[in-house]
Amino acid sequence: MTDKKDFDVIIIGGSYAGLSSAMALGRSIRSVLIIDSGLPCNRQTPHSHNFITQDGVKPSEIAEKAKTQVLTYDTVKMLNGLAVSGQRTKNGFIINTQSGEEFEAKKLIFATGIRDIMPDIKGFSECWGISVIHCPYCHGYEFRTLKTGILSNGENAFHVTSLVNNLTNDITILSTGKADFTSEQLTTLDKHNILIIADEILEIEHESGYIKNVIFNNGTQMKFDVMYAAIPFKQHSDIPETLGCELTEQGYIKVDNFQETNIEGVFACGDNSGMRSIANAVYTGGMAGAIVNKQLTDEQF
């Protein structure tokens, strides 16, 4: 909590990207407020992987350690709350929270992540991040050699299947509708003995988030150990759009190589603006923090 209302920088989102930004700024003695609602998108994931020095560690443990380190810098404060609106002012920006508080800052960094839109499949959301996963780099090694489903269709399904094929030789594509592949892709899939099932999925039977069986609308079922799923998402916060930030065709916040949006003084980092991984979140967060500090320096020196 903080009684201070005016900061150099407000960071919305206090997971890996936001904390990385805050550390860069705190070490430059910038006054920073992190506003975090405490709902990271990987909160169901049991272990983090493919992030050097933290391989196999629970995501919340990494975040808590990072938070402890960041908050040792006296100029960095954290507020447990939800930012609900923002507006531009003559000297910067105002952010309002759900509890009615108002804070001002010269610069904004959005590290707000994205919100996955779950399909209408019973059991899917309970398995998400545990045995229904999105990334072979983050989770694939732990499910190597096991019976694997790819819940996707067309080009994306073909791409994910090509990556997962190096991890297991037991792959089935679940297209949930007419398969949408080119003749060349179908030839390649057939060469690797990859089955395509077009039936709609009714339910995922599971035990504590670990898949047991996939049940189809026609009453048949098939055993799986893991499923890769490409599902739609939306921005976790609509404040960037209300400020005028552009989105990409995929729905990410559009940023330049320094994580700045098309709105001067507004930055985005982490999952909301690119590849979903802890390593990328830490990198882009650090970059955003450094560039924000450089802008403040240029304006004040």
Side-chain angles (χ1 to χ4, degrees):
M1 297 294 292
T2 177
D3 294 325
K4 182 177 171 64
K5 299 298 181 182
D6 189 15
F7 296 84
D8 290 325
V9 186
I10 292 176
I11 300 172
I12 302 176
S15 191
Y16 314 115
L19 292 169
S20 184
S21 293
M23 178 169 280
L25 290 160
R27 291 182 59 80
S28 293
I29 321 180
R30 299 296 182 183
S31 60
V32 178
L33 175 65
I34 307 168
I35 302 175
D36 183 60
S37 63
L39 292 173
C41 62
N42 65 355
R43 56 189 177 273
Q44 285 194 174
T45 304
H47 301 99
S48 168
H49 295 286
N50 206 36
F51 182 44
I52 195 166
T53 76
Q54 301 296 323
D55 194 43
V57 179
K58 190 174 182 180
S60 60
E61 292 180 13
I62 301 173
E64 281 302 316
K65 184 176 182 179
K67 186 186 300 183
T68 298
Q69 292 177 348
V70 167
L71 292 180
T72 61
Y73 296 95
D74 293 340
T75 60
V76 179
K77 307 300 179 185
M78 177 169 272
L79 174 72
N80 295 321
L82 180 66
V84 294
S85 65
Q87 57 185 299
R88 187 151 200 166
T89 68
K90 181 180 178 181
N91 298 316
F93 303 90
I94 289 175
I95 293 294
N96 300 98
T97 69
Q98 192 175 56
S99 62
E101 294 180 276
E102 183 176 285
F103 301 95
E104 296 186 45
K106 300 178 182 70
K107 309 286 182 183
L108 296 180
I109 298 176
F110 288 94
T112 41
I114 55 178
R115 178 176 296 155
D116 296 299
I117 301 172
M118 302 293 170
D120 187 20
I121 298 173
K122 183 179 179 182
F124 185 98
S125 60
E126 291 85 349
C127 295
W128 183 240
I130 301 172
S131 62
V132 177
I133 56 181
H134 78 284
C135 174
Y137 295 106
C138 298
H139 309 288
Y141 183 84
E142 283 62 46
F143 292 100
R144 66 195 183 281
T145 74
L146 300 181
K147 188 168 182 59
T148 300
I150 308 291
L151 182 59
S152 185
N153 203 351
E155 188 62 39
N156 185 77
F158 189 81
H159 168 67
V160 175
T161 300
S162 69
L163 296 175
V164 175
N165 188 64
N166 193 54
L167 300 171
T168 179
N169 58 8
D170 194 345
I171 299 174
T172 300
I173 294 175
L174 305 169
S175 63
T176 62
K178 183 180 178 181
D180 182 21
F181 298 97
T182 66
S183 57
E184 292 82 3
Q185 288 173 334
L186 289 171
T187 298
T188 299
L189 295 173
D190 184 64
K191 181 179 71 174
H192 291 287
N193 299 313
I194 294 170
L195 179 67
I196 302 173
I197 297 179
D199 297 321
E200 297 283 340
I201 297 174
L202 177 67
E203 180 182 351
I204 298 174
E205 286 188 334
H206 66 95
E207 184 176 325
S208 300
Y210 288 93
I211 299 173
K212 298 301 180 182
N213 295 292
V214 169
I215 302 174
F216 299 95
N217 278 355
N218 61 11
T220 62
Q221 66 179 40
M222 181 178 291
K223 181 185 183 303
F224 286 96
D225 298 299
V226 62
M227 181 187 295
Y228 293 86
I231 62 175
F233 66 86
K234 62 181 179 180
Q235 288 291 322
H236 203 268
S237 171
D238 62 2
I239 301 175
E241 284 187 87
T242 64
L243 290 172
C245 295
E246 296 178 7
L247 301 184
T248 67
E249 290 183 5
Q250 295 78 23
Y252 295 108
I253 299 174
K254 186 183 291 186
V255 294
D256 62 17
N257 291 335
F258 300 111
Q259 303 304 130
E260 189 167 16
T261 71
N262 61 296
I263 302 300
E264 185 178 358
V266 179
F267 292 72
C269 52
D271 291 358
N272 66 13
S273 52
M275 184 176 70
R276 301 178 68 171
S277 77
I278 294 178
N280 185 67
V282 171
Y283 163 71
T284 56
M287 175 63 76
I291 299 302
V292 165
N293 181 64
K294 175 66 164 58
Q295 287 190 359
L296 291 169
T297 298
D298 291 343
E299 292 166 6
Q300 297 166 354
F301 187 67

